[in-house]
Amino acid sequence: DTAGLKKFVQRAAKRFPKNTLVQGLAQNVFDYLDAVGNPRMPGDSIPELVLHDDFGGNFSTFSLKGRYVYIDIWATFCDECIKNEELVRKAKQMFPPGKFEAVSIAIDDQKEDWLKIIKANGYTWPQLIDEKMWQGKAFKILRFNAIPYNFLIGPDGRLIAKNIKKDSVIAVIQQVMK
């Protein structure tokens, strides 16, 4: 009952206007409800997302404009997510690098575990992390409601498809890249 939650939090925020903890909680709840209630839809332009990569630098999704981009959302504590990374590896091998790129974004506060998994599994495509998880930029910009989750972005920066079923990912990418 998102409407009920919103009313409850609004009342609490109004009742305790000077309490920074209550105000911070209210802002987090409103941000979450906004992201979940207004999901990205096919045809939407995807804003730039800049996150830390596994090399210690910053990576911008805008650096991939002009290519089809498959964004895979995962976390170290999600076994199904880690299995999906093999699907990303397969897509990277199948599609030409000048036309296709994959990016994996971990919604995770366990940076050391994230780095260990990347190294142990030999992931060679861009690996990003949002340590703020559900309060982070990735969630607020991409607006997903679960992990694992994925997005397919066109060369023009517009969303083509999202939350593609695991057994359909390769076929969907092949279809749009014809």
Side-chain angles (χ1 to χ4, degrees):
D1 179 15
T2 55
L5 175 61
K6 186 174 183 178
K7 285 180 185 178
F8 174 78
V9 172
Q10 284 173 329
R11 284 193 314 267
K14 187 175 178 180
R15 184 171 177 204
F16 302 101
K18 294 182 181 184
N19 185 309
T20 57
L21 292 175
V22 171
Q23 296 305 313
L25 174 64
Q27 188 59 55
N28 285 340
V29 169
F30 297 146
D31 288 347
Y32 178 81
L33 291 174
D34 180 54
V36 172
N38 298 301
R40 299 280 174 210
M41 300 302 289
D44 287 352
S45 290
I46 301 298
E48 180 180 31
L49 177 59
V50 178
L51 292 169
H52 297 295
D53 65 20
D54 54 323
F55 298 108
N58 288 327
F59 184 93
S60 167
T61 55
F62 275 14
S63 69
L64 302 173
K65 274 207 169 180
R67 294 182 244 179
Y68 290 92
V69 179
Y70 179 79
I71 298 176
D72 180 62
I73 308 294
W74 71 291
T76 60
F77 54 82
C78 171
D79 292 336
E80 187 63 29
C81 297
I82 294 170
K83 290 176 190 173
N84 283 352
E85 290 299 288
E86 289 310 310
L87 177 65
V88 178
R89 185 187 315 275
K90 183 177 178 182
K92 284 285 295 167
Q93 292 169 348
M94 287 184 67
F95 302 108
K99 292 186 176 185
F100 175 82
E101 184 59 81
V103 176
S104 293
I105 301 173
I107 303 302
D108 209 311
D109 61 357
Q110 300 299 313
K111 189 173 184 177
E112 293 305 316
D113 291 346
W114 169 70
L115 289 168
K116 285 178 191 173
I117 290 171
I118 292 168
K119 185 175 181 179
N121 292 305
Y123 300 156
T124 58
W125 55 95
Q127 295 289 326
L128 312 179
I129 189 168
D130 193 334
E131 293 178 88
K132 291 185 179 176
M133 301 173 72
W134 298 102
Q135 286 83 40
K137 289 189 276 186
F139 171 71
K140 290 177 183 177
I141 289 173
L142 295 174
R143 300 179 175 192
F144 50 92
N145 61 5
I147 55 169
Y149 206 90
N150 59 57
F151 297 88
L152 182 59
I153 313 295
D156 61 356
R158 294 190 180 279
L159 179 61
I160 295 172
K162 64 180 184 173
N163 205 21
I164 307 164
K165 293 190 183 320
K166 184 178 179 178
D167 61 352
S168 301
V169 168
I170 299 296
V172 169
I173 296 170
Q174 286 174 323
Q175 181 66 32
V176 301
M177 288 184 65
K178 279 186 180 179

